Amino acid sequence: MKIDHSLPLEYSTEENRLKILGFWIFLGAEIMLFATLFASYFTLADRTGSGPTGAEIFQITPVLIETILLLTSSFTVGLGIHAMRIGKVKAMIGFYTVTLLLGLGFLGVEIFEFVTYVHEGAGIQTSAFTSILLTTLGTHGAHVTLGLFWGLFIILQVKKRGLTPQTTNKAFIFSLYWHFLDVVWIFIFSFIYLKGMM
């Protein structure tokens, strides 16, 4: 395996560069998944039947907490990549741990939000609106859950093996995934919550 020392460690081998390219292609498929969910949401947003509307169930406080937690986690994962690139293993692990704790906090607020919706009569079978709303939010939440486990495994690998071309490649790809989830959340925040509250 030929290592190019002029590049960051995560890009240092041909295999690593191909894995990063492959992951960008995978993110393209993920964009299509969420684009389909958003298109379905915009089609069904006014189909509330006898159920509540977004303006009736959306509350700004939990949504702002979720947004702050997730955007902060995007910042900390970026700091983790910076620490990784300058060879600071403990700092990288620390920033990744903070990222995962913020993600866990986000998930906790989202679960609380789901429970609140159901108590207010906005279950998945209430109307087309609540069905697509909970499906869209749930799909994003499932991606965050996957990210929490993935990030934990990366932390464990870096602790065990240190910063190698393989571990840095995995950590960098994870950071792309985490940033992607943040971008999706910004769309959810803007076009589902803020628009729905108006």
Side-chain angles (χ1 to χ4, degrees), residues 152-168:
L152 180 62
F153 289 132
I154 286 169
I155 289 170
L156 295 174
Q157 283 188 353
V158 170
K159 267 188 166 176
K160 185 178 178 185
R161 300 181 191 159
L163 298 175
T164 67
Q166 290 77 28
T167 58
T168 56

Side-chain angles (χ1 to χ4, degrees), residues 69-86:
L69 288 170
L70 211 54
L71 293 183
T72 305
S73 76
S74 197
F75 179 66
T76 57
V77 83
L79 292 175
I81 292 298
H82 176 70
M84 177 187 85
R85 286 186 172 161
I86 60 174

Side-chain angles (χ1 to χ4, degrees), residues 57-76:
I57 59 170
F58 293 157
Q59 296 174 359
I60 194 67
T61 305
V63 176
L64 282 178
I65 292 169
E66 288 169 314
T67 304
I68 290 165
L69 288 170
L70 211 54
L71 293 183
T72 305
S73 76
S74 197
F75 179 66
T76 57

Side-chain angles (χ1 to χ4, degrees), residues 67 70-71 140 181-191:
T67 304
L70 211 54
L71 293 183
H140 181 265
L181 294 181
D182 279 3
V183 171
V184 171
W185 181 257
I186 289 166
F187 278 92
I188 289 172
F189 176 74
S190 304
F191 297 109

Side-chain angles (χ1 to χ4, degrees), residues 47-128:
R47 292 181 171 55
T48 55
S50 58
T53 64
E56 293 171 328
I57 59 170
F58 293 157
Q59 296 174 359
I60 194 67
T61 305
V63 176
L64 282 178
I65 292 169
E66 288 169 314
T67 304
I68 290 165
L69 288 170
L70 211 54
L71 293 183
T72 305
S73 76
S74 197
F75 179 66
T76 57
V77 83
L79 292 175
I81 292 298
H82 176 70
M84 177 187 85
R85 286 186 172 161
I86 60 174
K88 306 280 187 189
V89 179
K90 282 186 179 176
M92 184 246 175
I93 289 172
F95 284 125
Y96 264 57
T97 302
V98 171
T99 299
L100 298 185
L101 290 173
L102 290 165
L104 194 60
F106 168 86
L107 213 54
V109 176
E110 188 164 69
I111 290 167
F112 166 78
E113 199 179 19
F114 267 50
V115 170
T116 304
Y117 290 163
V118 171
H119 280 302
E120 291 177 0
I124 199 148
Q125 294 180 336
T126 304
S127 67

